[in-house]
Amino acid sequence: MHLLVTRKQRIAENVVALTLSDPDGRPLPAWTPGAHVDIALEPGLSRQYSLTGGEDSGVWRVAVLRVPAGRGSRYLHDMVAPGSVLRIDGPRNDFPLVPARRYVFIAGGIGITPILPMVSQAERSGAQWQLYYGGRRRASMAFLDELARYGDRVHVYPEDEQGLLPLAAALCGAEDGTQVYCCGPEPLLNAVRQRVDEQPGSTVHFERFRPAGPATGEAFEVRLAQSGRTLKVPPDKSILEVVEEAGVEVLSSCRTGTCGTCETAVLEGIPDHRDDVLSADERASGDAMMICTSRSLTPYLSLDL
């Protein structure tokens, strides 16, 4: 679809928000917290951006951090203005908000974008929740004005004033059933993963700026137990790609190891887990793997496919 940029607003240092609407005034497709859209910027260039508002007003909003080496962010910052028309695909949601009684939200920098509508939904549902939001400087942190209405449930940590996010305090006492949602740079996500693995009892959901780890590595073989076929997985392809090329249909969605759709039972061999879905205990058991990103620590894997 083609959408009109109706507003462009600087909301933080190097961050702009774009409001999008249908040029003919038609309602836009419904979306849920965690959803993103693909914006086509120029021939051969498309980027994903989380929807971060407008769900109640018939418009969409995305926020874009200017990245010095980022072609997509430079284009949206420098070339797009109110009145511009952008080609949009979506929305799709690989980071959905699971209904729960208690949430802990953790955001780093522009990672606040998918978290903001989650906070709004949690508030409307009457759930208990806390948000821990970190950034380099207060001036660089988007949506602080919108978050202020939630009072002391929002904990803001500009690094130059208060240091890094206090993950021990954020996750301390997380009860069974607590849903932890985290989006931000790689070091933050790794630290949250380690903390949750050391303190089981909650379930963590991640959205990364890029996949957790490349699906590339050493070549190995995978046996499809249901058909008896053996396929070679080369260094530059994932198991999912090889299986699909062989004509085997597998449910998949994110292809980045974050949604769990392609989870597959492992019958023999030791997986090299590169996902953000399985817990430490589940990884250690070796009973299942996400074949979109994970590989093998042994020369051979047998999968229930």
Side-chain angles (χ1 to χ4, degrees):
M1 77 185 84
H2 288 83
L3 298 184
L4 180 69
V5 178
T6 56
R7 188 182 187 193
K8 182 178 182 181
Q9 180 186 15
R10 184 180 182 275
I11 57 173
E13 187 178 276
N14 291 321
V15 181
V16 295
L18 303 177
T19 301
L20 308 169
S21 64
D22 184 271
D24 298 320
R26 291 181 297 241
L28 296 180
W31 61 279
T32 53
H36 70 266
V37 294
D38 296 290
I39 302 181
L41 304 171
E42 55 187 62
L45 181 63
S46 178
R47 292 291 185 268
Q48 293 182 359
Y49 295 97
S50 295
L51 290 172
T52 193
E55 63 269 32
D56 298 325
S57 59
V59 298
W60 288 348
R61 183 179 64 177
V62 298
V64 182
L65 171 67
R66 184 185 185 94
V67 179
R71 290 169 59 197
S73 68
R74 292 203 313 269
Y75 182 89
L76 292 173
H77 273 253
D78 299 340
M79 305 301 293
V80 170
S84 298
V85 175
L86 298 173
R87 184 167 67 82
I88 311 289
D89 292 321
R92 295 193 301 277
N93 199 338
D94 298 324
F95 191 44
L97 185 66
V98 176
R101 292 178 305 199
R102 185 172 187 270
Y103 299 96
V104 175
F105 300 110
I106 302 173
I110 199 63
I112 190 62
T113 53
I115 298 297
L116 187 66
M118 291 185 176
V119 165
S120 178
Q121 176 63 36
E123 178 72 4
R124 289 195 298 269
S125 73
Q128 300 178 30
W129 63 270
Q130 298 284 321
L131 166 64
Y132 293 81
Y133 178 20
R136 293 183 182 277
R137 298 174 297 281
R138 190 176 295 271
S140 70
M141 300 173 69
F143 302 119
L144 290 180
D145 55 341
E146 295 185 27
L147 290 167
R149 66 189 177 99
Y150 296 117
D152 60 7
R153 281 172 294 177
V154 175
H155 309 274
V156 177
Y157 284 83
E159 188 175 342
D160 63 343
E161 297 177 23
Q162 297 174 265
L164 298 175
L165 282 168
L167 297 182
L171 298 169
C172 179
E175 306 163 357
D176 287 347
T178 298
Q179 302 292 321
V180 180
Y181 281 81
C182 181
C183 182
E186 198 75 12
L188 172 63
L189 272 61
N190 290 338
V192 171
R193 163 64 74 185
Q194 180 178 356
R195 178 68 61 175
V196 170
D197 285 347
E198 293 172 351
Q199 180 185 308
S202 56
T203 302
V204 65
H205 309 263
F206 291 108
E207 181 161 83
R208 296 178 180 267
F209 298 152
R210 56 185 60 84
T216 57
E218 297 294 325
F220 59 96
E221 290 187 340
V222 26
R223 181 178 183 271
L224 310 185
Q226 294 179 22
S227 66
R229 299 173 66 185
T230 298
L231 306 174
K232 183 173 182 179
V233 181
D236 60 344
K237 290 186 177 181
S238 68
I239 299 174
L240 178 60
E241 290 172 318
V242 169
V243 167
E244 288 179 331
E245 289 173 2
V248 179
E249 292 187 7
V250 180
L251 288 177
S252 66
S253 180
C254 71
R255 295 178 178 261
T256 61
T258 58
C259 73
T261 304
C262 70
E263 181 173 350
T264 302
V266 178
L267 306 178
E268 294 180 61
I270 303 174
D272 177 10
H273 295 291
R274 304 186 187 185
D275 66 273
D276 280 321
V277 178
L278 298 175
S279 68
D281 288 344
E282 289 170 331
R283 291 182 176 210
S285 75
D287 293 336
M289 66 187 299
M290 306 303 150
I291 61 173
C292 63
T293 54
S294 298
R295 297 186 66 82
S296 180
L297 295 174
T298 50
Y300 168 84
L301 281 178
S302 177
L303 302 179
D304 188 15
L305 289 173

